[in-house]
């Protein structure tokens, strides 16, 4: 069976989109928003990028990445949604005490939201280094972070990382994912974070279609 032309084009476009480089420790927040008819990504980010002195998006583009000081931003336009990803360096606090979104709102300029964009779901990811946690039991550490016995996850990336979550949404409507870094390279961590964001985005969008 041969894949049709549309699926090949979509797959090529997906993998051509540059990801935000991720280095550990890391805080990441990811918004999934439904967009109005006629939404134009370049117009959305133009003023913000000009104010911050960074290159803006080209008219008609479907994705744009920018770095403003220590903050990384990535916008991606999809058929059914707009996703916005924010990344900042990790800190020594307990994971999720101050998310990337919290940090940018408090310490940096936050991009304006055009009329008609509605936040549908969101994800917070925190990456901590193995030597920054107590003990050797990643499950026990995650259980304490989430304050829950109902956590799921395990080893990934050839046992160079552990990923844990409860799949529950917090008071802010975001799910939370904890990554324990066991000496991942920057490239592998970048790919792992992006894939987890992709999976969670489409998990939530698929659930939206349920009766």
């Amino acid at each position: 069976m041969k894949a049709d032309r549309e699926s090949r084009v979509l797959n090529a476009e997906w993998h051509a989109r540059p990801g935000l480089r991720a280095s550990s420790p890391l805080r990441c927040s990811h918004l999934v928003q439904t967009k109005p008819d006629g939404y134009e990504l370049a117009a959305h980010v133009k003023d913000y990028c000009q104010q911050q002195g960074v290159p803006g998006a080209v008219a008609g583009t479907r994705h744009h990445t920018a770095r403003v000081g220590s903050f990384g931003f990535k916008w991606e336009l999809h058929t059914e949604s707009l996703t916005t990803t924010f990344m900042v360096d990790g800190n020594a606090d307990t994971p999720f005490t101050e998310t990337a979104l919290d940090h940018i709102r408090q310490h940096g300029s936050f991009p304006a939201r055009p009329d008609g964009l509605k936040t549908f779901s969101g994800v917070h990811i925190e990456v901590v280094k193995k030597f920054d946690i107590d003990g050797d039991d990643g499950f026990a550490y995650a259980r304490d972070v989430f304050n829950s016995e109902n956590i799921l996850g395990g080893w990934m990336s050839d046992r160079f990382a552990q990923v844990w979550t409860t799949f529950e949404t917090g008071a802010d409507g975001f799910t939370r994912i904890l990554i324990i870094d066991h000496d991942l390279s920057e490239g592998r961590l970048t790919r792992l974070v992006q894939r987890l964001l992709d999976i969670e985005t489409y998990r939530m969008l698929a659930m939206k279609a349920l009766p």
Side-chain angles (χ1 to χ4, degrees):
M1 181 178 69
K2 294 183 178 180
D4 63 25
R5 182 179 181 279
E6 182 180 12
S7 66
R8 291 196 298 272
V9 170
L10 289 172
N11 184 68
E13 178 187 356
W14 189 268
H15 290 286
R17 297 183 178 195
L20 284 172
R21 302 299 294 179
S23 58
S24 181
L26 171 75
R27 288 171 287 171
C28 171
S29 294
H30 181 75
L31 297 174
V32 182
Q33 297 169 303
T34 56
K35 64 186 191 306
D37 293 338
Y39 171 82
E40 173 59 47
L41 176 61
H44 173 185
V45 304
K46 177 182 177 182
D47 291 343
Y48 176 75
C49 289
Q50 285 182 342
Q51 292 167 7
Q52 301 301 320
V54 297
V58 177
T61 190
R62 297 181 64 84
H63 58 89
H64 185 63
T65 301
R67 182 160 289 279
V68 179
S70 62
F71 309 146
F73 297 87
K74 180 182 178 184
W75 296 269
E76 286 193 84
L77 186 60
H78 305 280
T79 301
E80 67 284 358
S81 66
L82 168 74
T83 59
T84 309
T85 306
F86 309 93
M87 286 189 185
V88 299
D89 293 338
N91 56 21
D93 293 340
T94 301
F96 309 112
T97 301
E98 182 189 64
T99 67
L101 202 55
D102 294 332
H103 184 81
I104 291 172
R105 283 172 172 161
Q106 293 175 19
H107 304 287
S109 175
F110 192 77
R113 186 175 73 176
D115 293 338
L117 275 181
K118 297 180 179 179
T119 300
F120 171 67
S121 67
V123 187
H124 295 307
I125 291 180
E126 294 236 5
V127 182
V128 298
K129 287 184 174 293
K130 171 61 177 68
F131 57 73
D132 288 334
I133 71 174
D134 295 329
D136 296 322
D137 190 344
F139 175 81
Y141 177 75
R143 184 178 56 199
D144 291 341
V145 167
F146 290 111
N147 191 28
S148 173
E149 296 288 338
N150 186 29
I151 61 173
L152 300 169
W155 290 101
M156 290 192 178
S157 300
D158 295 328
R159 298 181 70 87
F160 279 94
Q162 289 177 288
V163 177
W164 303 100
T165 185
T166 63
F167 289 112
E168 297 174 356
T169 56
D172 58 359
F174 283 64
T175 55
R176 286 160 170 74
I177 298 174
L178 173 69
I179 299 175
I180 302 175
D181 173 17
H182 291 252
D183 203 24
L184 278 171
S185 67
E186 183 179 276
R188 294 184 78 175
L189 178 58
T190 297
R191 291 191 296 273
L192 176 59
V193 169
Q194 186 60 54
R195 294 299 173 258
L196 291 171
L197 293 176
D198 292 343
I199 290 168
E200 187 61 17
T201 295
Y202 281 95
R203 182 181 76 88
M204 295 303 296
L205 287 172
M207 290 175 63
K208 184 180 179 182
L210 294 176

